[in-house]
Amino acid sequence: MESKKRRRSLKSFNWFAVLMVVVIGYFAFKLGSQEVHLQQVAEDQAVADARLAAAQAENEALKQEKANLEDLSYIEKIAREELGMTRHGELPYTDAGK
């Protein structure tokens, strides 16, 4: 009787348990891979946000420069300081120490 019982337990392999382990393993793998993908997307978003902030700051600086270029006193200041230009009849001053 005992050998019949043992034979029956060997024959009745629990396929449902094996199937559940496989299904749970598959979904755990998918969940992990999606988590990795979401982390990469978050990193890409942070890089894009940083680039956007830098571009916005540069845009504001360029807008300010454009507004300054409409002011004649600013243009004169730039011409004198950066280009060494003088008005008609003025003599340029250069520092001998520079």
Side-chain angles (χ1 to χ4, degrees):
M1 184 94 143
E2 191 175 319
S3 66
K4 225 180 200 185
K5 205 177 202 185
R6 181 178 260 184
R7 222 186 285 168
R8 185 177 181 151
S9 68
L10 290 176
K11 283 185 180 180
S12 63
F13 187 70
N14 195 351
W15 287 103
F16 180 75
V18 172
L19 180 65
M20 289 306 293
V21 167
V22 169
V23 168
I24 290 172
Y26 173 77
F27 283 115
F29 173 75
K30 280 302 210 182
L31 182 66
S33 65
Q34 286 180 354
E35 184 65 31
V36 168
H37 179 70
L38 286 176
Q39 281 180 329
Q40 183 62 42
V41 168
E43 289 173 8
D44 292 345
Q45 179 70 37
V47 169
D49 287 342
R51 288 181 57 206
L52 176 63
Q56 286 174 336
E58 182 181 3
N59 188 28
E60 287 302 317
L62 290 173
K63 283 180 182 179
Q64 183 63 39
E65 182 70 20
K66 180 183 174 192
N68 287 341
L69 288 174
E70 294 173 0
D71 183 17
L72 291 179
S73 63
Y74 179 77
I75 294 171
E76 181 182 359
K77 176 183 171 220
I78 295 298
R80 287 177 180 271
E81 290 176 0
E82 293 182 11
L83 301 176
M85 299 177 91
T86 59
R87 288 189 179 176
H88 184 69
E90 289 182 338
L91 293 175
Y93 171 78
T94 55
D95 188 7
K98 287 187 177 180

